[in-house]
Amino acid sequence: MSDGKPTQAPGTPPAGMAIPGNRTMPKEDRLTPPVWEGGRAAPPNGDFRMIGKRNRKVEGLAKVTGRAVYADDLVLPRMLHAKLLRSIHAHARIVSIDASAALALPGVHAVVTGADMPTHFGIIPWTEDEQALCTDKVRYVGDAIAAVAADDERTCEEALKLVRVEYEPLPAVTDIETALAHPEWQVNEKAGEGNISKHVRLEFGDVDGALAASDHVVEGDYWYEGSTHAPLEPHCCVAEFDSTGFLTVWSSTQVAHYLHRDLAKVLNLPTQRVRVIQPVVGGGFGGKSEPFSLEFAAAKLSMVTGRPVKILYTREEVFYAHRGRHPMRLRYRTGMTADGAITGTDALVQLDGGAYSSFGLVTTYYSGQLLTAPYALPAYRFDSTRVFTNKPACGPKRGHGSVQPRFAFECQLDKLCEKAGLDPIEVRRRNFIGERTKTVNGMRVTSNGFLECLDAVERESGWAAKFRRMPYGRGIGVAGSMYISGTNYCIYPNEMPQSAVQLRLDRSGRATVMSGCSDIGQGVESVLAYIVCEELGLDLRDVRVVAADTDLTPVDLGAYSSRETFMVGNACLDAARHLRLKIAQTLAERWGVAAGEIVLANGVACASSDPGRFAISVKEAFQWAEARHGTLGSVGWYQSPKLGGEYRGGTIGASPAYSFTAHVAEVECDPETGFVAVKHIWVAHDCGRALNPVTVEGQMEGSAYMGFGEALLETQRYKDAAPGHAFGLHHGPSLLDYRMPTSLDTPELHALIVESVDPEGPYGAKEAGEGPLHPSIPAIANAIHDALGVRCDALPFDPPSVMRLLRAGEARANWERARAQVGGPR
Amino acid sequence: MLTLPAFAWSRPQSVEDALAVLAAHPGECLIVAGGTDAVPNLKHRLHEPRRLVHLGGIGELRGIRAGDAGLEVGALVTLTELASHPHVREHFPGVVTAAAHVASPQIRNMGTVGGNLCLDTRCTYYNQTFFWREALGFCLKKDGTRCHVVPQGKRCVAAHSSDVAPVWIALGAEVEIASRDADGAVSRRSIPVEAFFVGDGVHNNVLAPGELVTRVLVPGAAYGLRTSYRKLRPRAAIDFPMLSVAVAVRGDAARIEELRVVVSALGAKPRTLGGLDAIVAGRAHDAALAEAVGAVAHKQCHPLSNVPYDTDWRHDMVPVFVKRALADALGVPA
Amino acid sequence: MDAAALVPCTMQVNGDARTCAITPATTLLEALRYTLGLTGSKQGCDKGDCGACTVLVDGVPTLSCLTLALACDGRAVTTVEGLADKGVPHPLQDAFDRTGGAQCGFCTPGMLMSAYALLQREAAPTRDEISHALSGNLCRCTGYTKILDAVELAAAELRERAK
């Protein structure tokens, strides 16, 4: 200290020291999860007290009383409102933007454009092709260009009309064929070549040989129009940049963590000075699983004005944000032996991706990778190409990437069964891939309750008495499917857990669970509470869940790919068991009994050997444990084991557990009009274990409903390019023209839970949120065939389409022929 | 959310006051009752009035009265009230069916008989936001010069979309219109509902600025008519008609004396089928008769792409729906 | 009154006399949510296509996004916040919670108001009647099954109470 300067501690890096870039990550080494005696599926206290019971949800009463706070319910002092200026062209170069007149309008506080935050982002790190606001080019009608903050929304609207944008229109492509035929009309400069967003070709086994050796081969072309999520809550966010340089964003997102990262990146802020909070979200279905223009624009405007800024999308803008189901053109060749064994499958798939990549890289893989169960496919090839078009970007909608191929494939199976004269349920049984096995593309299958699913829908629907036996116009159809319970990798490569929970107990007798998980109505916050209650013997009201606040909660990747129950459920199970163990040890010590004897249930902690003598309240047990161990807290995390095939892309589609579903749909068709009324859908779903049957049924019913809607009613179309018509204009971006089914349209939905008890799921649970959607569409298509003798190979099966089919072919003769094969009216 | 444009507000308490407000602000007013058509259209900037004249306070426009001269329905009677009125249910089931098929329960609770009659015409290129229409290049009904349905067309073909109006027409009902002369005197005139509509989608009725629809009058002669209504819509609720058919029959299935069929959701005004007398007069209902009526309908009705649903199929559905509506009215299986 | 001026509007909201100053171009939904702070009623579609904004005006289910607030001057408005009795949820609210009738919860307030009005006029509605009464309320999560279950359950419970 002779010179009076503070000395540096040895090894302390100097302030402002540069950290070398391009450091290599260590070789992948997965974390080892704790192993519990009796496994993860077993109840901690002998039998289940909470799990499997028809419980309320933790936030249920807040929702039914109007107290639940959604993003648009937030009002901050001095808050401004903002709106986005959107492109009226499907494809154009932005020559200039002049916002001076808008800025001069009284009540306007700021205008930002793409130049204020030009950094590209994208949910998949390999395809970062989006900007918060476009700088050079717009790529679809509705692409965002500028944002205005003003005192109120009407002033914003007036100001937007004053922003002068000079466009240089470019040739636009709005369908797959044109996109491929005109590579020079490039939609997205990040494309490798022309308008190809992604191409994947994978082959497993000798497909051509298998098809050549088949007794029956069916070749079919299918068209899946695509659809959108249409959650009832439009996207909304509030951003507040405070004087300390800290940004807080409340957003109706289902991926707070990814939003956190991208906000920091695009706005050039340190991640530790950005906080993302997800309020109660009014539905997502995949439509809120990426950052959108509104979050960046609101944040930037808050930074510029120093005031909180809210952006609420209009319903129309929700259609432009989209990220819905990809339109797909699919061609399948499928072979079968005379006795019904599937031999080979050859798939050619084209995906219409819209203007940006979104999750498209994954979608392209999923369009092939997720078809390889529940049936054994001895030989399988798929060739999938995603193209860019000048339309809102497609992305992940409930059943991401695999609903379309599943539709085609299950229809293929039905046609093969017809050809072979076999019962379609029986054929699905014969091809069952089994449990504890591997698919042809290297996916590990653990539990598999698909046979029970088939049994359940066959029994409950009265299949045997109905199939091919009902009068003309009435029919019944079956389909099956599988889906993932989360993916085995994070979207950006890293070695950290995919899910985490911090659990805190305090002497008041309360547990607080903190997790970055995202409840979008599916009930994951309740799942955490149920697990904590089960492990610690608490009442549901004594657990508080703090979720999706990046300041308060450990990272969970969010609500997508049906990962939450499985992954964060496992993290929570571990956290709760760590604390349970501490409590049990404390009580065992005091009472002089074995720790294994300790039971925590119904608010009471006791020793099972002598509960009359050794029993206290759980609250008191917490206090004993706190006295013995200090403040009680624990963490749990989940990282999936290394999974997947040993080939490029072999990890995409790999999941620690797969769910399985079977549907039977019953329809009544009006041959004079083409109207199809779906009367019933029986949906049997193997969810591993239903942690709460009410919410599992809700997911199954909601999935079947959503699939039914896109099969029959919902149209996602763009106006034609006839002279004078705007090219690529959404046909009707409203809930009037996008016809989601009402209560009167919806069939009776019969949810049949199947529990295969997965060895790795929390208490054996697997996903239930997306799988049960898949078979809806093909089951209805197959039922229409049973009813009318026509094959609906293109969505939607609206009355004009059904009428065209009825008139085009020899529908009645086909119907008679099919009828003659299996029974016939008795 | 979609905002409303700024407007001034009047809430007159009588027809006389209402007409005075309209006269005081010529060309500046939009009349609003239930708001279920006007408010979305305001949010879409399809109307940009300086002033809204809200009729909700005018008690004399409420109520349904059945008398010797026929049935009087006030313009402010809601569609729910109309559909649940015992007298209407007993005598005019077609009116009940039509009113009960409007949109949704809430819209029927709000929407009025007068508003339903004055419903603005609809088109897939028109009932959109300002942004959407700007991207389209606007259309001749609002802000633009060309028709996107009939590209060479000079006249707007936006579709008449009221569910109840076709039934009123089939019943021979009249609409009472109140107006105010230069001296401020209020006068009322009644014209057939059929004559109320004109074939111009921009403004498809004869109501002049400053006038007000006050009542619908169903003549005594309409009692004894058998009525029905069929609506083509993809969903069982919420949707506007893709095609609508109203039928009124004098006689019964054994002997049809007179048949009126009105088809709408085609162009700007409902179409009353012509030439039916020769087919039906004095005959019994049978398959051949139904087929013949359907054929007339098919020939005379031409759906357009103004309604966002397959045009050819809708054309095919015209005879199907006409035959079904006829069977409904006669109480026989289709 | 002119377009820009703020004018007073007095309504009986959930039993309380509430006055707010609004412009004529203010919808009832905006007045409830942003002026009176009753954010329970939701905005889903902007223009009367979804039913999330349903409230009762003089007891009748009404789309507050299509209703001008000034048209409600002097009238009684009931929102989802007004269903509970001294903090105790109405049996309908409780039934929605028990049956899983609310998933994301965004359609729930409007759904509850339509269902409440139905049960006011019909103590024992059939499932079909319930379905009709709720046909102007879109739900994207549940497939309606559990919502219909909830209304049936609440109706049964209310009938039991009335005995």
Side-chain angles (χ1 to χ4, degrees):
Chain A
M1 300 262 176
S2 55
D3 57 1
K5 284 184 189 165
T7 54
Q8 230 171 38
T12 302
M17 187 189 103
I19 296 170
N22 299 324
R23 290 158 306 135
T24 50
M25 297 284 275
K27 192 168 158 46
E28 184 187 323
D29 192 13
R30 298 244 163 171
L31 295 159
T32 312
V35 177
W36 303 104
E37 206 183 310
R40 293 181 168 267
N45 297 302
D47 53 7
F48 288 119
R49 277 142 178 109
M50 175 67 65
I51 296 301
K53 304 292 189 291
R54 302 185 78 83
N55 279 301
R56 293 173 190 259
K57 293 202 297 177
V58 288
E59 84 294 4
L61 279 173
K63 283 178 175 169
V64 298
T65 53
R67 284 186 293 110
V69 177
Y70 298 77
D72 186 43
D73 301 339
L74 294 166
V75 176
L76 299 183
R78 302 182 73 235
M79 187 174 82
L80 300 174
H81 297 264
K83 276 191 179 291
L84 303 178
L85 179 71
R86 294 181 177 275
S87 167
I88 56 169
H89 294 281
H91 198 190
R93 198 163 299 290
I94 300 171
V95 178
S96 65
I97 304 175
D98 176 4
S100 52
L103 265 172
L105 188 73
V108 171
H109 292 256
V111 180
V112 293
T113 65
D116 294 303
M117 39 182 173
T119 306
H120 282 83
F121 69 94
I123 188 74
I124 305 286
W126 292 275
T127 57
E128 293 186 326
D129 60 358
E130 294 187 61
Q131 289 175 301
L133 301 167
C134 299
T135 52
D136 305 321
K137 236 175 80 166
V138 288
R139 296 177 181 83
Y140 66 91
V141 175
D143 218 354
I145 303 164
V148 175
D151 290 338
D152 54 46
E153 285 190 287
R154 196 185 301 137
T155 308
C156 291
E157 282 179 0
E158 286 166 20
L160 289 181
K161 289 184 185 170
L162 298 175
V163 178
R164 296 272 159 259
V165 183
E166 193 186 336
Y167 295 102
E168 178 194 325
L170 298 167
V173 296
T174 55
D175 59 56
I176 294 169
E177 293 71 20
T178 315
L180 291 172
H182 291 280
E184 75 282 10
W185 296 345
Q186 196 171 44
V187 175
N188 188 320
E189 295 67 29
K190 301 268 178 174
E193 54 167 303
N195 286 311
I196 308 290
S197 160
K198 178 72 187 172
H199 175 243
V200 177
R201 182 187 162 89
L202 288 170
E203 181 162 359
F204 311 95
D206 174 15
V207 174
D208 295 325
L211 286 172
S214 301
D215 296 312
H216 303 287
V217 175
V218 161
E219 182 163 349
D221 286 298
Y222 300 87
W223 168 246
Y224 203 108
E225 183 174 85
S227 59
T228 201
H229 323 78
L232 257 278
E233 180 203 27
H235 301 55
C236 180
C237 81
V238 178
E240 182 178 38
F241 188 73
D242 70 21
S243 51
T244 68
F246 194 96
L247 174 69
T248 305
V249 173
W250 292 261
S251 179
S252 59
T253 180
Q254 45 188 118
V255 287
H257 174 63
Y258 294 139
L259 176 59
H260 181 192
R261 286 168 49 86
D262 278 347
L263 279 170
K265 174 178 173 159
V266 172
L267 299 169
N268 201 20
L269 295 169
T271 48
Q272 64 272 33
R273 288 185 206 142
V274 176
R275 177 183 188 184
V276 175
I277 301 172
Q278 178 204 318
V280 177
V281 167
F285 314 109
K288 296 171 180 170
S289 53
E290 294 164 62
F292 290 93
S293 299
L294 82 164
E295 289 134 338
F296 302 109
K300 191 71 192 179
L301 285 166
S302 181
M303 292 167 76
V304 171
T305 60
R307 294 171 66 161
V309 175
K310 177 190 277 186
I311 298 184
L312 167 64
Y313 277 178
T314 61
R315 175 52 59 181
E316 181 185 20
E317 288 180 287
V318 175
F319 281 88
Y320 301 144
H322 193 43
R323 317 290 154 147
R325 181 121 39 241
H326 284 68
M328 285 194 201
R329 196 170 291 294
L330 313 108
R331 168 169 293 180
Y332 277 79
R333 280 194 304 147
T334 316
M336 191 182 266
T337 63
D339 61 355
I342 299 166
T343 53
T345 299
D346 183 15
L348 186 65
V349 181
Q350 292 173 328
L351 302 83
D352 181 345
Y356 295 101
S357 289
S358 177
F359 281 82
L361 183 153
V362 177
T363 321
T364 312
Y365 274 104
Y366 278 5
S367 73
Q369 288 284 67
L370 296 184
L371 201 66
T372 54
Y375 319 114
L377 301 186
Y380 175 47
R381 172 170 66 218
F382 71 92
D383 184 312
S384 292
T385 307
R386 184 182 192 264
V387 302
F388 288 120
T389 55
N390 292 108
K391 294 185 293 191
C394 295
K397 183 184 164 192
R398 201 174 200 172
H400 182 191
S402 63
V403 170
Q404 305 95 319
R406 182 58 65 181
F407 155 63
F409 185 75
E410 296 289 323
C411 290
Q412 286 281 103
L413 270 188
D414 210 62
K415 292 175 187 177
L416 281 163
C417 292
E418 188 194 354
K419 247 187 158 175
L422 298 170
D423 180 89
I425 291 185
E426 194 45 43
V427 164
R428 283 171 170 82
R429 275 197 192 99
R430 279 185 212 173
N431 287 284
F432 179 56
I433 195 169
E435 53 182 351
R436 290 174 183 76
T437 183
K438 210 164 216 189
T439 66
V440 69
N441 57 340
M443 305 298 158
R444 182 198 72 166
V445 174
T446 51
S447 57
N448 187 345
F450 183 61
L451 287 182
E452 290 83 346
C453 292
L454 284 175
D455 292 348
V457 292
E458 183 181 47
R459 183 181 63 243
E460 295 298 318
S461 68
W463 174 267
K466 289 176 177 168
F467 180 65
R468 299 281 193 257
R469 286 183 167 82
M470 288 194 286
Y472 184 70
R474 292 180 58 192
I476 195 165
V478 66
S481 70
M482 70 110 162
Y483 201 64
I484 54 177
S485 303
T487 60
N488 66 329
Y489 276 98
C490 175
I491 277 172
Y492 65 95
N494 72 79
E495 298 186 306
M496 294 172 280
Q498 291 146 287
S499 272
V501 156
Q502 288 171 332
L503 179 60
R504 204 177 74 196
L505 306 182
D506 71 55
R507 56 189 79 171
S508 72
R510 185 175 67 190
T512 304
V513 199
M514 289 165 288
S515 172
C517 68
S518 168
D519 198 319
I520 52 173
Q522 87 281 41
V524 63
E525 290 186 21
S526 300
V527 162
L528 299 186
Y530 301 149
I531 291 171
V532 170
C533 289
E534 188 65 52
E535 293 294 327
L536 301 174
L538 289 170
D539 186 282
L540 196 53
R541 290 167 297 183
D542 299 334
V543 180
R544 178 166 290 259
V545 182
V546 178
D549 177 335
T550 61
D551 260 21
L552 303 181
T553 60
V555 169
D556 172 272
L557 301 179
Y560 66 96
S561 76
S562 274
R563 52 182 301 289
E564 295 284 43
T565 290
F566 194 95
M567 296 192 172
V568 79
N570 263 322
C572 187
L573 185 83
D574 287 347
R577 285 192 172 175
H578 288 311
L579 283 179
R580 188 181 188 285
L581 201 59
K582 266 189 185 170
I583 294 163
Q585 282 166 350
T586 305
L587 302 190
E589 273 172 35
R590 286 230 193 170
W591 289 335
V593 300
E597 278 187 44
I598 302 299
V599 172
L600 305 177
N602 304 327
V604 175
C606 64
S608 58
S609 56
D610 193 353
R613 193 168 146 217
F614 301 125
I616 55 174
S617 70
V618 162
K619 174 177 168 177
E620 206 175 348
F622 288 5
Q623 293 170 352
W624 287 12
E626 190 175 335
R628 169 74 177 80
H629 294 282
T631 303
L632 295 174
S634 68
V635 298
W637 43 262
Y638 181 82
Q639 190 177 40
S640 86
K642 197 169 184 304
L643 297 166
E646 295 292 330
Y647 53 89
R648 188 181 165 84
T651 60
I652 305 184
S655 173
Y658 294 92
S659 74
F660 298 92
T661 314
H663 279 209
V664 165
E666 187 175 333
V667 300
E668 248 179 67
C669 308
D670 181 345
E672 220 180 354
T673 62
F675 270 99
V676 174
V678 182
K679 309 304 281 185
H680 298 271
I681 297 176
W682 292 270
V683 43
H685 180 72
D686 167 21
C687 65
R689 189 191 302 278
L691 301 185
N692 176 357
V694 176
T695 51
V696 172
E697 288 163 5
Q699 290 301 306
M700 293 163 66
E701 290 158 1
S703 290
Y705 159 85
M706 194 172 266
F708 151 76
E710 54 192 298
L712 290 186
L713 285 165
E714 295 167 26
T715 49
Q716 178 72 10
R717 290 177 191 158
Y718 294 82
K719 292 290 186 194
D720 293 339
H725 291 203
F727 209 47
L729 188 57
H730 191 286
H731 80 105
S734 71
L735 294 187
L736 184 63
D737 290 324
Y738 190 84
R739 299 189 189 92
M740 60 168 85
T742 72
S743 52
L744 292 173
D745 304 299
T746 305
E748 269 190 59
L749 305 168
H750 311 270
L752 310 164
I753 293 174
V754 169
E755 298 184 308
S756 61
V757 186
D758 189 79
E760 295 182 19
Y763 304 120
K766 303 188 285 191
E767 78 90 31
E770 303 188 68
L773 186 150
H774 292 70
S776 271
I777 299 119
I780 292 169
N782 294 339
I784 294 172
H785 177 259
D786 187 44
L788 297 174
V790 299
R791 288 288 178 191
C792 292
D793 293 338
L795 262 74
F797 319 143
D798 56 14
S801 310
V802 173
M803 277 315 280
R804 270 193 294 277
L805 290 168
L806 276 171
R807 285 175 181 170
E810 298 169 332
R812 191 64 189 241
N814 289 341
W815 183 83
E816 303 281 358
R817 197 163 46 244
R819 193 106 325 201
Q821 276 185 334
V822 186
R826 281 173 179 162
Chain B
M1 66 178 68
L2 274 182
T3 64
L4 283 168
F7 45 72
W9 169 262
S10 299
R11 196 163 194 260
Q13 300 297 307
S14 67
V15 169
E16 200 172 353
D17 288 353
L19 294 174
V21 171
L22 295 175
H25 304 279
E28 295 185 355
C29 297
L30 179 70
I31 298 168
V32 175
T36 57
D37 186 42
V39 174
N41 288 356
L42 285 164
K43 288 185 173 184
H44 283 171
R45 302 298 189 270
L46 300 175
H47 310 310
E48 294 169 287
R50 304 259 306 264
R51 176 172 297 269
L52 243 61
V53 181
H54 191 266
L55 303 183
I58 308 180
E60 65 183 281
L61 297 182
R62 297 183 188 280
I64 297 174
R65 277 170 292 275
D68 295 342
L71 181 76
E72 300 174 18
V73 183
L76 282 188
V77 167
T78 68
L79 297 166
T80 299
E81 288 164 353
L82 181 66
S84 54
H85 193 272
H87 184 85
V88 179
R89 293 183 74 85
E90 185 185 343
H91 295 284
F92 305 110
V95 171
V96 172
T97 308
H101 274 67
V102 173
S104 65
Q106 297 96 314
I107 299 249
R108 296 194 290 276
N109 290 341
M110 302 163 70
T112 63
V113 165
N116 180 267
L117 209 56
C118 298
L119 190 77
D120 193 11
T121 55
R122 299 187 61 83
C123 178
T124 180
Y125 297 102
Y126 170 70
N127 294 99
Q128 305 280 0
T129 64
F130 182 87
F131 169 81
W132 193 99
R133 292 183 297 113
E134 186 185 15
L136 174 76
F138 299 111
C139 78
L140 60 75
K141 184 162 160 70
K142 182 76 173 83
D143 299 321
T145 53
R146 70 183 302 160
C147 177
H148 302 270
V149 176
V150 184
Q152 277 72 45
K154 294 279 175 282
R155 210 173 54 163
C156 173
V157 294
H160 171 268
S161 303
S162 157
D163 283 298
V164 192
V167 191
W168 292 139
I169 293 173
L171 283 168
E174 299 194 333
V175 53
E176 183 188 78
I177 296 167
S179 52
R180 186 181 192 268
D181 64 21
D183 306 328
V186 173
S187 63
R188 297 180 193 234
R189 70 182 199 280
S190 292
I191 59 169
V193 173
E194 184 165 19
F196 181 70
F197 294 109
V198 295
D200 178 2
V202 173
H203 180 66
N204 77 331
N205 61 49
V206 300
L207 208 60
E211 293 188 323
L212 199 62
V213 166
T214 48
R215 283 188 301 178
V216 171
L217 309 160
V218 183
Y223 283 82
L225 288 172
R226 296 167 184 270
T227 55
S228 67
Y229 179 73
R230 281 267 177 167
K231 174 175 182 173
L232 175 53
R233 52 178 173 179
R235 291 184 291 189
I238 299 179
D239 293 338
F240 281 94
M242 306 277 144
L243 177 71
S244 58
V245 177
V247 164
V249 192
R250 194 173 302 284
D252 56 27
R255 184 183 159 82
I256 300 173
E257 289 162 20
E258 188 191 348
L259 170 64
R260 266 179 265 165
V261 178
V262 182
V263 183
S264 200
L266 303 165
K269 62 180 281 195
R271 175 174 291 277
T272 303
L273 297 188
L276 294 179
D277 287 350
I279 299 171
V280 301
R283 286 182 53 195
H285 178 265
D286 60 16
L289 179 137
E291 207 55 50
V293 172
V296 167
H298 190 258
K299 198 170 174 193
Q300 295 180 14
C301 300
H302 301 282
L304 299 166
S305 63
N306 48 6
V307 170
Y309 220 71
D310 191 296
T311 307
D312 293 339
W313 176 77
R314 283 168 59 227
H315 195 197
D316 293 343
M317 290 305 107
V318 171
V320 175
F321 275 64
V322 165
K323 285 187 279 185
R324 289 182 179 186
L326 177 59
D328 290 348
L330 293 169
V332 297
Chain C
M1 45 203 75
D2 77 31
L6 291 175
V7 288
C9 175
T10 301
M11 301 176 277
Q12 282 292 124
V13 182
N14 301 326
D16 301 335
R18 300 290 301 269
T19 301
C20 47
I22 52 175
T23 66
T26 305
T27 63
L28 176 59
L29 180 64
E30 290 170 307
L32 289 169
R33 285 180 54 79
Y34 306 129
T35 310
L36 297 175
L38 291 167
T39 53
S41 306
K42 300 301 181 205
Q43 187 272 129
C45 71
D46 294 311
K47 59 181 193 70
D49 303 327
C50 79
C53 68
T54 304
V55 301
L56 305 185
V57 177
D58 291 339
V60 176
T62 299
L63 299 171
S64 61
C65 78
L66 296 188
T67 303
L68 296 164
L70 285 177
C72 298
D73 192 31
R75 304 175 74 182
V77 177
T78 311
T79 71
V80 68
E81 290 95 338
L83 289 184
D85 180 20
K86 298 185 181 70
V88 178
H90 185 272
L92 200 49
Q93 294 174 304
D94 193 55
F96 265 68
D97 188 30
R98 279 156 63 196
T99 62
Q103 283 187 26
C104 85
F106 207 75
C107 76
T108 309
M111 203 62 91
L112 283 165
M113 301 319 289
S114 288
Y116 178 83
L118 169 69
L119 296 187
Q120 291 288 103
R121 65 172 190 270
E122 176 56 64
T126 64
R127 206 163 165 94
D128 193 48
E129 284 168 339
I130 300 169
S131 205
H132 273 89
L134 302 182
S135 62
N137 294 81
L138 294 175
C139 170
R140 196 57 167 165
C141 294
T142 61
Y144 305 102
T145 309
K146 300 226 178 294
I147 290 174
L148 302 182
D149 291 348
V151 180
E152 283 183 329
L153 180 65
E157 199 157 314
L158 284 164
R159 286 197 304 275
E160 194 59 35
R161 278 192 192 186
K163 272 181 189 170

